[in-house]
Amino acid sequence: MTEDMDKGNLIFKIEVFINSSILRSWKDSIIVLLSTKALLPWSEELKVVGRCIDAIASKTSVDPANVSWSYSYNKKGVACTEIIESAGKTSVAPKDWWVEDLCELDVDLYKRVMVAIKSKGRMSPDLIGEALKAYAVRWLPDSYDALVADDYMRRNQCLVETIIWLLPSDKSSGCSCRFLLKLLKVAILVGSGDHVKEELMRRISFQLHKASVKDLLLPAASPSEGMHDVRLVHNLVQRFVARTALSHNGDFVEKSDEKMIELNFEQESTLALGELVDGYLSEVAADPDLEFSTFVELATAVPEAARPVHDGLYYAVDAYIKVCSMHLMNLNLLNGCCQYFLLYDE
């Protein structure tokens, strides 16, 4: 099989075939990589896995205008010419042409491919984030029962922790706040470690004002704490406010256009935060297990500038008082709600 016996033997021919055919083809590189799992550890020892990963990673960074292979591996039965050409014109592949195909890989291979892509330094954080979101949608179940099922919980934990580990290094870009909050929700449900949740909370705190009330309805760690983890949301709000205050206290002696734009953005984000918190309080007020002190702590966590009007807060307090009275809570608690409402009105 080697060149010691005769020139052009099997090993040489295989090597030529791999280099000239498989590694030059996007589709074949993925197919071969998928097949290597059944041939471990030989496929690793022969460096087939590593070479496929490197070939795939290199192709993802090619200018989409120069993409000439079938960039839609998952479109079964569609010819290459039908994908690339439309009405006689060359159809340029979208920037994310490679994202869907990589979702076919299992989590271990996907992690290695994404690490290789990121290490080349040519992929934008937004595209990395888009790829991770597509992978999460492909593999993480939507239903609570499927997510925490005994047979799949460890697998789902591995999936979400891998996705979090692969997040772009730039914490303020690459992934939407909604996606990060969904990952946090999954991490809570599957029992991921505190360091995993801490990483997500740090990232979310950069863009919390972009979240919706629905995004913030995170499950409580224990049923005794109520339906929603209000304390965790309070922690996120505190981080966001502290970050904004730190930025606001910077040196703004020279009121350049750039710095004024930055100040306007901070004001808009602060107003959005106030509206978000009041909406969230109105939603969680229906939880009979929500403690009054927890309600007040979150309500007062936002700066005064976040509430030019207090209609949203009034509605939240009113909803909470109604729940207190409906569940026949003690009068001291009800009086406390009323006193807080009156004090804030001043």
Side-chain angles (χ1 to χ4, degrees):
M1 293 178 64
T2 67
E3 298 299 288
D4 296 337
M5 298 297 297
D6 192 15
K7 290 186 177 181
N9 250 327
L10 186 57
I11 290 181
F12 175 77
K13 291 180 178 179
I14 292 175
E15 192 69 22
V16 170
F17 174 70
I18 291 175
N19 290 327
S20 63
S21 180
I22 292 176
L23 298 182
R24 294 184 65 181
S25 165
W26 168 257
K27 179 178 178 180
D28 290 340
S29 296
I30 293 178
I31 291 174
V32 171
L33 183 59
L34 286 167
S35 68
T36 58
K37 190 172 183 180
L39 299 172
L40 292 172
W42 301 295
S43 55
E44 286 281 8
E45 294 172 357
L46 295 172
K47 303 187 186 305
V48 176
V49 177
R51 292 168 71 181
C52 286
I53 288 173
D54 188 62
I56 292 169
S58 297
K59 288 177 175 59
T60 60
S61 59
V62 171
D63 186 343
N66 298 325
V67 173
S68 59
W69 54 79
S70 171
Y71 63 84
S72 197
Y73 163 68
N74 288 323
K75 294 183 185 293
K76 303 290 191 276
V78 179
C80 180
T81 53
E82 291 176 339
I83 294 173
I84 295 175
E85 296 181 3
S86 176
K89 297 180 181 180
T90 300
S91 178
V92 178
K95 291 182 180 180
D96 63 348
W97 63 266
W98 51 273
V99 167
E100 181 184 351
D101 293 345
L102 295 192
C103 289
E104 296 299 310
L105 301 174
D106 66 34
V107 66
D108 294 329
L109 289 176
Y110 183 81
K111 179 179 180 180
R112 292 175 63 177
V113 170
M114 290 302 295
V115 168
I117 291 173
K118 292 173 69 177
S119 67
K120 293 186 180 296
R122 294 179 234 165
M123 198 63 65
S124 70
D126 289 338
L127 269 179
I128 294 293
E130 186 178 337
L132 295 175
K133 181 179 179 181
Y135 195 76
V137 170
R138 172 69 174 80
W139 291 106
L140 286 173
D142 292 328
S143 70
Y144 170 82
D145 291 338
L147 194 63
V148 300
D150 292 339
D151 295 340
Y152 297 101
M153 190 165 177
R154 182 69 189 94
R155 165 190 167 276
N156 293 332
Q157 183 180 346
C158 178
L159 274 169
V160 71
E161 290 179 0
T162 297
I163 291 170
I164 294 168
W165 188 82
L166 289 170
L167 289 172
S169 56
D170 186 354
K171 292 178 173 57
S172 60
S173 66
C175 296
S176 68
C177 189
R178 170 169 293 182
F179 177 54
L180 294 174
L181 283 163
K182 284 185 177 180
L183 290 179
L184 181 57
K185 182 177 182 179
V186 173
I188 292 170
L189 291 174
V190 299
S192 294
D194 290 340
H195 67 287
V196 174
K197 290 180 279 190
E198 174 63 26
E199 174 63 21
L200 284 173
M201 291 174 67
R202 186 160 51 245
R203 290 174 178 272
I204 292 167
S205 67
F206 281 91
Q207 48 181 320
L208 182 62
H209 61 291
K210 297 179 181 179
S212 69
V213 172
K214 184 178 179 181
D215 296 334
L216 287 179
L217 296 178
L218 302 166
S222 170
S224 62
E225 298 176 5
M227 294 183 292
H228 307 293
D229 199 335
V230 181
R231 293 189 184 279
L232 188 148
V233 172
H234 179 223
N235 189 321
L236 289 172
V237 171
Q238 285 183 312
R239 293 177 185 226
F240 180 86
V241 171
R243 192 179 304 282
T244 304
L246 184 63
S247 174
H248 183 70
N249 290 334
D251 184 12
F252 289 102
V253 176
E254 297 181 6
K255 294 186 177 180
S256 64
D257 291 341
E258 183 178 346
K259 290 180 179 178
M260 290 304 295
I261 291 173
E262 185 176 347
L263 280 173
N264 289 334
F265 172 76
E266 289 175 5
Q267 291 172 353
E268 291 175 4
S269 61
T270 300
L271 291 173
L273 178 70
E275 186 177 347
L276 175 65
V277 170
D278 290 349
Y280 177 79
L281 286 170
S282 298
E283 187 71 27
V284 299
D287 184 358
D289 295 319
L290 177 62
E291 295 181 2
F292 175 61
S293 59
T294 304
F295 181 94
V296 172
E297 285 173 1
L298 179 55
T300 56
V302 299
E304 291 184 9
R307 290 192 183 100
V309 294
H310 301 126
D311 293 355
L313 180 61
Y314 294 161
Y315 182 82
V317 173
D318 182 56
Y320 187 65
I321 290 174
K322 288 179 180 177
V323 171
C324 291
S325 59
M326 284 175 58
H327 289 82
L328 301 177
M329 293 184 177
N330 63 67
L331 292 177
N332 290 332
L333 178 56
L334 190 57
N335 288 334
C337 292
C338 296
Q339 288 175 13
Y340 169 73
F341 182 84
L342 292 172
L343 286 172
Y344 206 95
D345 191 39
E346 295 176 358

